[in-house]
Amino acid sequence: MKKPVLLFLLLLLPFILLAQSGNIQGVVTDENGLYLPGANAIIPSLSKGSITNFDGKFTIVDVPQGTYSIKVSYLGYADLSQEVTIVAHQTVSIRLSVEQKSVELEGVEVSAYGLSGQSKALNTQKTNLNITNVVSTDQIGKFPDANIGDAVKRIPGITMQMDQGEARNVIVRGLSPQLNSVTLNGSRIPSAEGDNRNVQMDLIPADMIQSIEVSKAVTPDMDADALGGSVNLITRTSPQGFRLSATLGSGINFITDKPILNGSVLLGDRSKNDKFGWMISVSGNDNDFGSDNVEAEWTDEFEYNTGIEDGDGEPILEEVDVDPYVNVYEQREYLVQRIRRSFSANLDYKFDANNTVFLKTMYNWRDDRENRFRLEHEILDAEDIEESDFIITDGVPTRFPVEVKRQSKGGIDSGRNKNRRLEDQRMQNYSLGGNHLWGSLKVDWMTSFAKASEERLNERYAEFESEYSINNDVLNSRYPRYSVVNTADAALENFEYSEITEENQYTEEEDLNVFVNFEIPSDIFSQGEGSLKFGARGRFKSKLRDNNFYEFDLEDDFPTLATVPVKDYSDPNYLAGSQYQIGSFASEAWLGALDLNIADGELVVDEFAPSNFNVNEDVFAGYVMLNQKLSEKFSVLVGVRLENTKLESKGNRVIYIEEDEDAGIDEAVLVEEVIGENSYTNVLPGVHLKYDVSTNTILRFAWTNTLARPNYQDLIPRAEVINEDKELVLGNADLNPTTSMNFDLMAEHYFESVGLISGGLFYKNIDEFIYTFIYEAPDDNLGAGTEGYDVFQPLNGDSATIFGMEFAFQRQLDFLPGFARNFSLYLNYTYLSSSADGIRNEDGDERSDLDLPNTAPNMFNGSLGYADKKFSARLSANFSDSYIDEIGGNDFEDRYYDTQMFLDFNTTFQINKNLSVYADLNNITNQPLRYFQGVKERTQQIEFYGQRFSLGLKYDLFKK
């Protein structure tokens, strides 16, 4: 071991012991002392330079002693030149401050208002070596986005899956959320989701993040598990001088007429000797809202009991040819209170010009309190339907008997739960790192600990059920609806006790990350600054889920719904339409006040045991990459990354023991622990080419290789039986990771007036993608009584391809006359085409002409903004086309995520230099979340959230 270490040090010695040369450590800020990322700092006489990082800092190494002029250029700002004297074997520290410039058009001086954030983002994007999109904190503030997910959806090629009206799961270039990487300051954010790797983007407030960087072509020094791309959230760092920022606002949710409260404070400073910097920030948001929901399942099968029995005494069923109709119909009313709290403290200490350490921390805590009232109808089994029980009109069943359930969901009566289901989600991250300069050798390192958890304690359900005949409304398949034939049948006393349950759920994921990077100067072709970079990373992840479930027999106490306190939740302004009147349910106060002692309940093992697991995943990675200029205009980055993954999992498989009186065997449910192991190594080369056609016009090309690891739960050889839904969920220990070879071509032109026009093509060749295979259990081999159940099991498909095009345009319209020059446009459009091979239907036959799930063919973002010295306003649109979300057993059962079109408006008025007032109006078009089954006309789910309005004050104070 000693010999390799000694050899390593000897190789680095020439870079540590410089000749007659020194180094420059600099920082670039604007006129307010705020850092400018992506600034180009160069010594023209030496053709040596560097690009500032997100903290506005740059390093130029191996500079011969002497006096030089260093030039800083930044899009939208005036160039700055400053002399610097280099002393041998020393590092000189400099600070450069640039100012925004006005552009002269046809003799008229045009000032750019409110474009500093756009300038930071575009400069970073322009100077990055790989293909990226960047959004700065100032740009985030221009859109009415409360959480970071809503801000990310403004980026080209990004689609967000919604939850309760907020953007939660990120889809990058059409690839599922679990196939993308979400990091905080370069370290993976753990997921609190129990069954996948998705990161809940709505957990993090937008005002806690300094900038968002989406890398669509990853470099070898980045984690490779980013099939679609990598979203890096960069937290705020300590300022150059005193900084105070505060926001206080309120508003209203029109769906509930309940208030919105939000506020944030940011405070930071740096010591007089410039060594110690600090910043703390606190954010809070209290949002009391809800949603109006209608759901349906469609079938094209119908059977009834002929009243005749076969030789075995079994009823003979008659099948009738019918057109598709709704056989399961639900109406839901959600009442939700979502409280976000976020805390961040970031510190850094500069020992000298060559050595700096930092600590970055963030703690996010979200409480989701929810009541849900569900009215569910499902057609009776064929054995229970007689010939006189139904009517078929023009091939569609329009009257038939159903089982009806009225279910109340809530929690205990406590100070935190408040009779609601409380979902406590937390995400915390603590990172300690350093940046060092040893001669011309740059070294940076970081170790981080992150944890995400979701806890749902004392989650209660009370359900009462009945049977009656309904009329199936077939007038508008986009708005399915059942209505009772005889109103008296729907009386509360006809709803009999079904069940009262209480469950507890806990999921946590912990990540420990350690990495170190080394970078040395390289100038193979004598064309200017280049570098050789190499490093190693270890990521050690553990994830567990620990749930339980109790059922209580209280039928004697509450025989019918009429014997409990009820509340009518009908709403004449129900957003799906006034025809949807949900009726009365057991009240949340009654449910919360029930004294449910688990000693009196029955532990229902098969309801939770298959979902519990414990997984450990270790990833060891190393890389080397060379960044080199081949000519004055042409540069190349080439490298390779090696990742080794080792995974160990423990889970449960439920075994049902059938009763056999002759053999003396009682009916039982056994739980068997199952253990799975998997390991694999991936070699992932990559090449990035960059050609500067001119100062502001760039061509880029990238060839990269990425991967996506299977969801933890999919790898466990488990079996989960969901008797209520007649479903069976299986694991698959033999799943392989999904890999992709990616090609990207991009052209960019940057306007001096701070703007961009860009266009590009990309192609992904994906191997062994994972999909859920659905088939019908042919017998009871998977469990007693499971014949005919729908079986869900993850499988590797063969291959898939994605081809796409991207276009973006943003600039101030400063070429227009008069006040019109204060308008600005922000536009981007993405087109996707995909295909997937190796997906099989329920009969085992391969399906053709099938898109890869989650690939929206068309995505568009647009905003029209106006800004002068005092006033600014912006109207923003976000569109994503419909796409296949879940592959069914056949094309009739495929589930699609429908088209979305969001329209938002926000405005700001600057009262003085430090104080402004803002107003936001979200979801102007009342865009619902909608799924459809097979074809667009068959609604499977439609959920409305209404509009949201907020108003507030913002205070900013800067001191250099």
Side-chain angles (χ1 to χ4, degrees):
M1 181 65 186
K2 292 183 178 179
K3 289 184 178 180
V5 173
L6 182 61
L7 178 62
F8 176 73
L9 293 175
L10 288 173
L11 289 173
L12 294 181
L13 194 60
F15 303 100
I16 298 175
L17 301 176
L18 295 176
Q20 299 299 310
S21 61
N23 304 317
I24 301 173
Q25 292 267 34
V27 60
V28 180
T29 65
D30 65 9
E31 59 268 32
N32 292 316
L34 299 179
Y35 300 121
L36 294 181
N40 191 2
I42 188 171
I43 303 174
S45 60
L46 298 177
S47 296
K48 277 183 171 289
S50 182
I51 305 299
T52 59
N53 61 17
F54 279 99
D55 297 329
K57 298 175 182 177
F58 68 91
T59 303
I60 305 176
V61 301
D62 197 18
V63 182
Q65 65 180 355
T67 300
Y68 303 93
S69 176
I70 186 169
K71 179 182 177 182
V72 174
S73 57
Y74 202 70
L75 196 67
Y77 287 72
D79 291 348
L80 174 70
S81 294
Q82 184 172 314
E83 284 197 347
V84 58
T85 300
I86 305 300
V87 179
H89 311 301
Q90 292 185 19
T91 298
V92 60
S93 297
I94 61 172
R95 182 184 299 181
L96 303 105
S97 179
V98 296
E99 296 183 354
Q100 290 193 48
K101 65 178 179 182
S102 299
V103 179
E104 187 170 296
L105 296 173
E106 299 179 358
V108 179
E109 188 176 87
V110 178
S111 298
Y113 299 107
L115 294 181
S116 62
Q118 184 171 314
S119 180
K120 293 174 185 177
L122 292 182
N123 275 282
T124 304
Q125 185 172 318
K126 177 186 176 185
T127 54
N128 277 348
L129 294 169
N130 60 327
I131 297 172
T132 58
N133 292 108
V134 181
V135 177
S136 75
T137 183
D138 298 335
Q139 280 182 297
I140 295 171
K142 293 181 184 296
F143 299 101
D145 302 326
N147 72 68
I148 206 66
D150 283 315
V152 169
K153 74 182 182 185
R154 312 286 179 184
I155 296 174
I158 300 292
T159 305
M160 299 299 298
Q161 292 180 335
M162 311 299 286
D163 178 76
Q164 289 296 342
E166 294 188 332
R168 167 164 286 193
N169 298 319
V170 60
I171 297 174
V172 181
R173 285 181 164 177
L175 288 173
S176 300
Q178 65 267 25
L179 303 182
N180 303 304
S181 165
V182 181
T183 60
L184 188 69
N185 302 313
S187 289
R188 283 296 294 261
I189 297 178
S191 169
E193 295 280 355
D195 54 359
N196 56 55
R197 297 176 183 260
N198 299 356
V199 174
Q200 301 100 320
M201 302 292 281
D202 56 353
L203 184 60
I204 304 172
D207 50 15
M208 300 297 285
I209 300 300
Q210 176 176 296
S211 58
I212 306 166
E213 183 178 40
V214 178
S215 295
K216 296 175 178 175
V218 299
T219 52
D221 58 342
M222 301 169 63
D223 285 334
D225 53 346
L227 216 69
S230 174
V231 180
N232 189 27
L233 309 178
I234 298 148
T235 57
R236 300 175 184 271
T237 55
S238 56
Q240 283 294 104
F242 180 77
R243 171 87 189 271
L244 170 63
S245 180
T247 301
L248 182 63
S250 184
I252 187 171
N253 284 291
F254 291 111
I255 191 171
T256 58
D257 292 332
K258 295 289 184 67
I260 303 169
L261 301 173
N262 63 77
S264 65
V265 176
L266 181 149
L267 184 65
D269 201 357
R270 181 164 290 279
S271 62
K272 291 184 178 179
N273 62 6
D274 202 37
K275 287 184 174 293
F276 177 66
W278 59 274
M279 174 171 282
I280 58 173
S281 53
V282 181
S283 174
N285 179 271
D286 186 345
N287 193 6
D288 208 329
F289 60 107
S291 60
D292 296 343
N293 175 289
V294 175
E295 299 190 17
E297 293 180 22
W298 295 75
T299 185
D300 55 3
E301 298 176 353
F302 187 90
E303 292 180 313
Y304 69 93
N305 189 339
T306 61
I308 305 172
E309 295 182 348
D310 61 17
D312 297 325
E314 297 293 327
I316 296 177
L317 305 180
E318 180 74 21
E319 185 174 345
V320 181
D321 289 332
V322 295
D323 293 329
Y325 70 100
V326 173
N327 66 321
V328 178
Y329 162 75
E330 295 182 8
Q331 185 180 344
R332 303 183 180 193
E333 175 80 14
Y334 288 90
L335 300 174
V336 181
Q337 182 187 27
R338 179 168 291 174
I339 300 177
R340 291 189 191 88
R341 317 162 189 86
S342 189
F343 314 91
S344 178
N346 297 322
L347 315 173
D348 65 79
Y349 186 81
K350 183 164 64 174
F351 293 96
D352 53 40
N354 293 327
N355 298 281
T356 302
V357 295
F358 61 83
L359 175 67
K360 294 188 175 185
T361 68
M362 176 175 281
Y363 191 97
N364 296 292
W365 177 13
R366 187 185 74 188
D367 282 346
D368 245 27
R369 297 187 179 96
E370 179 185 294
N371 287 121
R372 186 196 70 193
F373 305 95
R374 184 181 73 184
L375 174 60
E376 178 186 0
H377 309 72
E378 182 172 4
I379 190 171
L380 295 184
D381 293 336
E383 300 86 35
D384 301 320
I385 302 177
E386 298 178 0
E387 189 171 2
S388 60
D389 290 338
F390 63 90
I391 297 175
I392 295 179
T393 305
D394 295 329
V396 178
T398 54
R399 178 176 296 184
F400 45 83
V402 295
E403 181 183 48
V404 189
K405 298 177 182 179
R406 289 188 174 272
Q407 185 190 77
S408 300
K409 173 183 178 181
I412 61 174
D413 182 13
S414 68
R416 287 202 65 205
N417 293 65
K418 301 179 180 179
N419 296 320
R420 292 183 170 187
R421 183 274 286 146
L422 175 63
E423 182 181 85
D424 182 330
Q425 286 192 339
R426 308 191 188 200
M427 191 281 287
Q428 49 194 303
N429 183 287
Y430 310 95
S431 300
L432 177 66
N435 296 286
H436 308 279
L437 189 57
W438 302 339
S440 60
L441 174 67
K442 299 179 187 177
V443 181
D444 69 271
W445 58 273
M446 189 170 75
T447 179
S448 67
F449 171 78
K451 178 180 178 180
S453 65
E454 179 181 287
E455 186 175 52
R456 295 163 63 161
L457 300 180
N458 307 112
E459 183 172 334
R460 294 181 170 183
Y461 294 84
E463 187 172 272
F464 296 82
E465 62 185 9
S466 181
E467 290 183 9
Y468 51 70
S469 292
I470 57 88
N471 292 315
N472 177 23
D473 186 351
V474 295
L475 293 177
N476 188 350
S477 60
R478 284 178 172 263
Y479 288 88
R481 189 173 71 94
Y482 286 176
S483 59
V484 61
V485 173
N486 186 348
T487 306
D489 291 341
L492 298 184
E493 57 267 22
N494 292 330
F495 281 84
E496 299 175 346
Y497 179 91
S498 173
E499 63 178 15
I500 290 178
T501 63
E502 180 172 294
E503 57 185 292
N504 299 283
Q505 302 179 26
Y506 181 73
T507 303
E508 75 168 25
E509 181 176 314
E510 293 183 350
D511 271 19
L512 178 63
N513 282 269
V514 181
F515 70 76
V516 60
N517 299 308
F518 301 91
E519 186 175 0
I520 55 179
S522 171
D523 190 7
I524 298 175
F525 301 100
S526 302
Q527 293 294 330
E529 195 75 9
S531 67
L532 175 66
K533 189 176 181 182
F534 52 95
R537 177 189 288 265
R539 190 174 79 216
F540 312 99
K541 183 190 296 287
S542 63
K543 185 156 190 168
L544 69 86
R545 183 158 66 178
D546 185 13
N547 299 346
N548 62 36
F549 186 98
Y550 291 88
E551 188 171 340
F552 299 85
D553 184 5
L554 301 177
E555 185 174 3
D556 292 339
D557 299 317
F558 311 108
T560 71
L561 186 56
T563 62
V564 306
V566 295
K567 186 175 179 181
D568 189 350
Y569 291 92
S570 298
D571 181 1
N573 299 314
Y574 200 77
L575 294 180
S578 59
Q579 70 271 28
Y580 294 99
Q581 297 303 300
I582 198 167
S584 296
F585 292 80
S587 73
E588 69 270 27
W590 167 79
L591 181 59
L594 286 176
D595 184 15
L596 301 182
N597 189 331
I598 61 173
D600 300 327
E602 178 187 356
L603 185 65
V604 187
V605 176
D606 52 318
E607 286 282 353
F608 66 88
S611 300
N612 290 346
F613 62 84
N614 196 331
V615 175
N616 292 294
E617 182 183 80
D618 296 338
V619 178
F620 296 91
Y623 75 93
V624 60
M625 68 182 197
L626 178 69
N627 175 24
Q628 194 64 54
K629 278 196 169 184
L630 302 181
S631 68
E632 183 181 350
K633 294 178 176 291
F634 191 32
S635 59
V636 59
L637 186 155
V638 59
V640 63
R641 185 178 185 87
L642 180 73
E643 289 198 356
N644 174 261
T645 306
K646 182 179 180 181
L647 187 139
E648 298 177 352
S649 62
K650 293 181 181 180
N652 299 309
R653 180 165 52 208
V654 173
I655 302 172
Y656 292 86
I657 307 298
E658 288 189 80
E659 182 180 13
D660 189 337
E661 294 182 357
D662 296 335
I665 299 175
D666 294 329
E667 182 181 281
V669 177
L670 300 181
V671 177
E672 178 186 78
E673 184 179 72
V674 290
I675 298 175
E677 293 185 356
N678 202 357
S679 64
Y680 44 88
T681 300
N682 297 92
V683 180
L684 305 153
V687 176
H688 297 257
L689 304 177
K690 182 181 178 184
Y691 183 76
D692 297 324
V693 179
S694 65
T695 304
N696 290 328
T697 304
I698 300 169
L699 295 178
R700 302 178 190 267
F701 170 81
W703 169 64
T704 57
N705 290 271
T706 50
L707 64 90
R709 298 179 175 89
N711 290 325
Y712 310 110
Q713 185 169 275
D714 291 344
L715 289 165
I716 301 169
R718 67 191 186 95
E720 178 181 2
V721 179
I722 308 171
N723 288 311
E724 181 181 0
D725 299 326
K726 296 183 179 180
E727 294 177 350
L728 189 75
V729 181
L730 303 179
N732 185 352
D734 298 323
L735 282 176
N736 294 319
T738 302
T739 58
S740 178
M741 182 181 292
N742 317 294
F743 298 89
D744 292 83
L745 180 65
M746 183 69 68
E748 304 165 349
H749 177 74
Y750 295 84
F751 301 109
E752 285 293 339
S753 56
V754 189
L756 164 74
I757 184 171
S758 67
L761 307 173
F762 58 88
Y763 176 81
K764 294 180 180 291
N765 188 5
I766 301 169
D767 191 33
E768 295 197 288
F769 66 92
I770 297 170
Y771 74 101
T772 301
F773 179 44
I774 304 174
Y775 64 97
E776 189 173 290
D779 48 41
D780 286 350
N781 286 339
L782 296 173
T786 59
E787 180 181 353
Y789 277 30
D790 288 330
V791 182
F792 299 78
Q793 185 177 32
L795 295 179
N796 285 109
D798 294 338
S799 63
T801 59
I802 295 178
F803 171 76
M805 297 183 291
E806 287 183 346
F807 168 80
F809 175 85
Q810 53 180 300
R811 73 166 290 173
Q812 184 180 359
L813 305 182
D814 46 21
F815 50 84
L816 296 177
F819 76 95
R821 62 168 55 100
N822 293 328
F823 283 99
S824 62
L825 272 179
Y826 178 93
L827 304 170
N828 61 69
Y829 169 75
T830 303
Y831 166 79
L832 284 178
S833 175
S834 70
S835 65
D837 299 323
I839 295 177
R840 289 159 180 79
N841 63 20
E842 58 192 2
D843 298 322
D845 300 324
E846 185 171 342
R847 298 181 59 183
S848 58
D849 300 325
L850 193 64
D851 289 343
L852 191 68
N854 295 312
T855 50
N858 297 283
M859 291 167 279
F860 170 78
N861 278 296
S863 73
L864 176 64
Y866 177 88
D868 58 29
K869 289 183 179 180
K870 291 284 188 180
F871 175 77
S872 66
R874 184 176 296 269
L875 182 67
S876 307
N878 176 266
F879 170 85
S880 64
D881 213 342
S882 57
Y883 57 85
I884 188 168
D885 174 70
E886 186 178 283
I887 298 171
N890 51 56
D891 56 359
F892 179 79
E893 296 175 359
D894 291 340
R895 184 176 77 167
Y896 288 80
Y897 198 101
D898 200 7
T899 301
Q900 293 186 127
M901 177 66 177
F902 292 96
L903 195 63
D904 306 309
F905 177 78
N906 66 311
T907 183
T908 303
F909 182 77
Q910 199 76 29
I911 298 173
N912 57 40
K913 180 182 178 181
N914 305 114
L915 185 64
S916 60
V917 59
Y918 69 88
D920 301 334
L921 181 61
N922 292 79
N923 195 20
I924 296 172
T925 57
N926 188 25
Q927 173 65 50
L929 166 71
R930 183 175 183 268
Y931 291 92
F932 60 87
Q933 183 179 320
V935 296
K936 216 173 187 56
E937 288 72 29
R938 299 188 199 122
T939 292
Q940 197 169 46
Q941 178 182 353
I942 187 165
E943 185 169 80
F944 291 88
Y945 310 104
Q947 293 82 16
R948 185 173 70 242
F949 175 77
S950 57
L951 179 72
L953 293 171
K954 185 173 183 179
Y955 179 81
D956 265 311
L957 177 64
F958 309 95
K959 289 184 180 180
K960 285 189 177 182

